[in-house]
Amino acid sequence: MVHLRFVLFLLGTSVTNLAEDTLVDGTYDYDLAVIGGGSGGLACAKEAVNQGARVAVLDYVTPSPQGTKWGLGGTCVNVGCIPKKLMHQAALLGEAIHEAVAYGWEVPSADQIKINWSALTESVQNHIKSVNWVTRVDLREKKIEYINGLGSFKDPHTLIATMKNGSKKELTAKNVVIAVGGRPHYPDIPGAKEYCISSDDIFSLSHPPGKTLVVGAGYIGLECAGFLNSLGYSATVLVRSVPLRGFDQQMATMITNEMEEKGVKFFNRCIPVSVEKLESGQLKARWLNTETKEQGEDVFDTVLLATGRYALTEQLNLAAAGVSVLSDSGKVVASTEQTNVPHIFAVGDVLEGRPELTPVAIHAGRLLARRMFAGGSQQMDYENVATTVFTPLEYGCVGLSEETATERYGADNLEVYHAFYKPTEFFIPQRNIRNCYLKAVALREAPQRVLGLHFVGPVAGEVIQGFAAAVKCGLTMEQLSNTVGIHPTVAEEFTRLNITKRSGKDPNPASCCS
Ligand code: FAD
Ligand code: NAP
């Protein structure tokens, strides 16, 4: 082995720091096979090829119960972040058209401003198809073998790809990365799979969604209800426990208040009971209030299920590979992405207890490839990952919620700085600013290390991204207040925070508040 390492060194080839077993030796068809061509799998495959590995990627999309299917690239590109952000943008533009009048733009009368759903979905789907195409070309140019087949294990080093026509292809690989992601969960109620749609279907829906019931108040439920309402479709949300459970609840309330003020209806503590198709083609949904035990029902054009996602591990035949680290929910438990079988790894949404976010999957996939093929040693740091909920008024955050910080450090050891603010853009026309709010959760003791930053307002994702780097570097309140702001922006509000919750002072800006 020493000899082999020396030869590889002379050839300029990097040597892995993982188990000797993972060294590239040519005995297998590939040095790496990746099951799942989404955010994590593709990032890992591309980085592995950059490091000189021979790589195959298996990607296969099983149609949704409503028959929706899509191309290469995974959830984010096809039925996730990208179409969602485009529909969010469509919704914001609709609001902006009305506001433009106050700036002197002459636009058609308000009742003439309406969305053309098929034009919207066509533009969104055309963009997605172009990304699918570019991704395929990229794989070809990088000489990554793309196999459009459903992957499963035959043994620890052999995969079977089942193609669309039912034929099977076998391949062997020294290392395997499981990056199969997840798919929407369907509650076990009558009518769910027959009549309801999920995020897999909404972005390419062939007809306007009309009056919509959204079941679930997580990221997807709130984002979809938000853009549907702003596009002019009535949206009602069934909330089982609380909106955005696990997030800072003060901030979650701000965004649901804002949505309510814009017309979204929320039924709290309600779970779906059944969905039935009427002769008219409309859907009658029934639900139960788990507190009052009262039943509710209404008729909708669309019922969108957004009740979480399950990992696609069942079809992998993991037992044949000896992988035995599945959680109760079927996710892979692997703190350093390595499973109990040393040459089999997992990245992305399929991992238990990790943020289900595209940049997380990408970063973990790249680092893993460097550890496998370039002698890297850096592990993925899942702490302080910033995120944004793209509701009409966005919510961005990084670090701990006030609740988690209180649990970990105790309220006496924390200082929470907060403020309401008025974005300049909201002066003309006068817009609702009741929910433009931000806070910094910090340790009380000087220099007051920042544990969490939370921001509700326009472009929250852009605001939080920069501050996330500062938090990663150990940002303190002292440094934050010594940072000179950029005026007039909404991000500068973080540099102006000076009122603590403890002081009881009014956090409203002096010049406003309607
Ligand atoms: P995926 O991207 O899901 O890729 C897995 C791929 O593997 C899929 O193509 C799947 O079909 C394929 N596959 C599964 N099983 C097999 C098999 N046995 N053989 C072959 N192929 C298989 N994240 C953000 O960061 N920002 C956002 O704004 C955001 N918005 C989202 C909005 C929605 C509606 C949804 C659903 C998700 C959103 N996400 C967002 C989350 C993000 O899409 C995921 O975290 C990310 O796609 C996970 O990447 P992955 O590589 O783990 O899996
Ligand atoms: P989620 O955030 O886990 O939310 C699921 C929601 O459905 C919760 O409100 C949950 O209520 C509810 N629910 C679950 N089972 C239910 C049932 N049987 N009946 C009624 N309600 C039920 O899941 P998600 O919204 O599907 O999103 C999945 C992941 O995708 C997220 O974790 C996120 O990481 C990623 N994502 C990211 C973005 C972004 O970055 N902007 C956007 C979309 C998605 P309880 O709280 O009571 O359990």
Side-chain angles (χ1 to χ4, degrees):
M1 188 54 71
V2 170
H3 177 67
L4 174 62
R5 277 179 187 275
F6 183 63
V7 172
L8 288 172
F9 173 75
L10 288 181
L11 290 172
T13 309
S14 305
V15 182
T16 173
N17 73 331
L18 289 175
E20 304 254 299
D21 185 44
T22 60
L23 281 173
V24 174
D25 67 0
T27 321
Y28 299 92
D29 297 334
Y30 301 96
D31 303 318
L32 172 66
V34 179
I35 315 178
S39 311
L42 290 177
C44 185
K46 288 181 199 170
E47 187 61 27
V49 155
N50 286 346
Q51 305 304 333
R54 295 164 303 142
V55 180
V57 171
L58 288 73
D59 190 63
Y60 190 85
V61 178
T62 309
S64 76
Q66 295 300 328
T68 312
K69 46 187 197 277
W70 51 90
L72 176 63
T75 302
C76 179
V77 165
N78 293 286
V79 286
C81 336
I82 301 303
K84 181 276 305 293
K85 184 77 188 285
L86 293 173
M87 292 221 170
H88 173 61
Q89 174 67 4
L92 294 181
L93 283 173
E95 291 176 5
I97 295 173
H98 293 283
E99 286 161 22
V101 176
Y103 288 88
W105 283 100
E106 292 175 5
V107 299
S109 61
D111 60 335
Q112 284 178 287
I113 300 171
K114 53 183 188 294
I115 192 77
N116 177 333
W117 177 262
S118 54
L120 170 64
T121 49
E122 192 183 326
S123 296
V124 169
Q125 293 304 316
N126 283 345
H127 172 69
I128 291 171
K129 287 192 181 83
S130 73
V131 178
N132 296 150
W133 172 252
V134 170
T135 309
R136 282 188 80 144
V137 171
D138 194 28
L139 292 190
R140 199 179 314 138
E141 280 175 0
K142 290 193 159 65
K143 302 208 178 347
I144 295 172
E145 173 104 28
Y146 162 50
I147 301 167
N148 185 197
L150 186 72
S152 61
F153 282 94
K154 182 180 176 192
D155 63 48
H157 286 284
T158 310
L159 298 179
I160 300 171
T162 306
M163 319 305 262
K164 207 154 75 183
N165 62 8
S167 65
K168 294 190 190 295
K169 180 179 167 137
E170 261 188 42
L171 58 140
T172 59
K174 187 85 177 164
N175 304 285
V176 181
V177 170
I178 300 166
V180 292
R183 290 294 286 270
H185 156 261
Y186 280 72
D188 187 16
I189 56 161
K193 287 208 168 149
E194 293 92 324
Y195 308 127
C196 300
I197 63 164
S198 73
S199 54
D200 282 355
D201 311 296
I202 185 73
F203 305 112
S204 57
L205 201 64
S206 59
H207 54 274
K211 178 179 170 186
T212 302
L213 177 69
V214 176
V215 182
Y219 275 91
I220 296 177
L222 294 188
E223 290 181 340
C224 290
F227 70 66
L228 287 175
N229 179 66
S230 301
L231 292 175
Y233 305 111
S234 154
T236 301
V237 181
L238 291 190
V239 185
R240 180 168 70 173
S241 56
V242 291
L244 290 179
R245 183 164 53 80
F247 279 85
D248 190 291
Q249 282 302 299
Q250 187 190 8
M251 310 307 282
T253 305
M254 296 275 172
I255 60 170
T256 50
N257 282 349
E258 175 75 17
M259 288 171 72
E260 249 177 328
E261 284 160 19
K262 286 198 158 115
V264 178
K265 293 180 212 62
F266 287 89
F267 289 131
N268 293 317
R269 304 279 162 188
C270 286
I271 54 168
V273 173
S274 64
V275 177
E276 172 196 340
K277 193 160 194 165
L278 304 175
E279 266 178 30
S280 63
Q282 287 183 298
L283 302 174
K284 181 185 266 190
R286 295 192 173 83
W287 56 87
L288 172 75
N289 184 310
T290 53
E291 265 177 5
T292 63
K293 305 294 174 212
E294 275 173 306
Q295 291 232 12
E297 62 173 52
D298 200 354
V299 175
F300 297 90
D301 298 305
T302 300
V303 177
L304 172 77
L305 301 174
T307 52
R309 295 170 64 78
Y310 68 94
L312 287 168
T313 48
E314 211 178 290
Q315 56 208 13
L316 289 174
N317 194 19
L318 286 172
V323 174
S324 61
V325 283
L326 289 194
S327 68
D328 290 345
S329 64
K331 288 195 163 196
V332 177
V333 182
S335 60
T336 60
E337 293 92 35
Q338 191 169 30
T339 70
N340 60 306
V341 181
H343 71 274
I344 301 179
F345 304 84
V347 292
D349 284 8
V350 75
L351 280 175
E352 176 70 26
R354 301 305 191 194
E356 291 176 25
L357 297 170
T358 273
V360 170
I362 292 175
H363 203 64
R366 273 197 199 128
L367 290 178
L368 173 60
R370 285 179 204 152
R371 294 201 301 278
M372 280 195 279
F373 300 108
S377 58
Q378 193 183 338
Q379 296 288 348
M380 175 69 189
D381 179 3
Y382 291 96
E383 290 296 308
N384 288 328
V385 172
T387 184
T388 290
V389 185
F390 293 95
T391 37
L393 200 58
E394 298 173 9
Y395 165 39
C397 64
V398 59
L400 302 185
S401 65
E402 193 173 338
E403 291 91 339
T404 309
T406 306
E407 241 169 63
R408 281 199 203 164
Y409 296 94
D412 286 348
N413 299 315
L414 295 180
E415 203 67 274
V416 179
Y417 292 83
H418 68 156
F420 286 93
Y421 67 98
K422 184 157 191 169
T424 311
E425 299 84 336
F426 284 24
F427 282 109
I428 304 176
Q430 286 285 333
R431 280 180 58 182
N432 177 23
I433 54 150
R434 273 188 293 275
N435 303 307
C436 290
Y437 177 79
L438 75 161
K439 70 179 173 185
V441 181
L443 288 175
R444 193 172 178 185
E445 198 180 331
Q448 300 196 310
R449 182 163 64 83
V450 174
L451 304 173
L453 294 176
H454 302 266
F455 181 91
V456 171
V459 295
E462 312 297 339
V463 171
I464 284 293
Q465 182 65 85
F467 287 108
V471 169
K472 201 92 185 145
C473 298
L475 178 72
T476 65
M477 282 310 292
E478 207 173 289
Q479 290 163 338
L480 193 56
S481 55
N482 278 324
T483 302
V484 177
I486 302 171
H487 189 69
T489 63
V490 287
E492 72 175 320
E493 299 297 338
F494 271 118
T495 67
R496 293 151 56 125
L497 281 173
N498 63 76
I499 293 172
T500 64
K501 278 195 174 178
R502 194 186 307 281
S503 72
K505 286 188 192 155
D506 181 6
N508 285 301
S511 64
C512 76
C513 279
S514 52

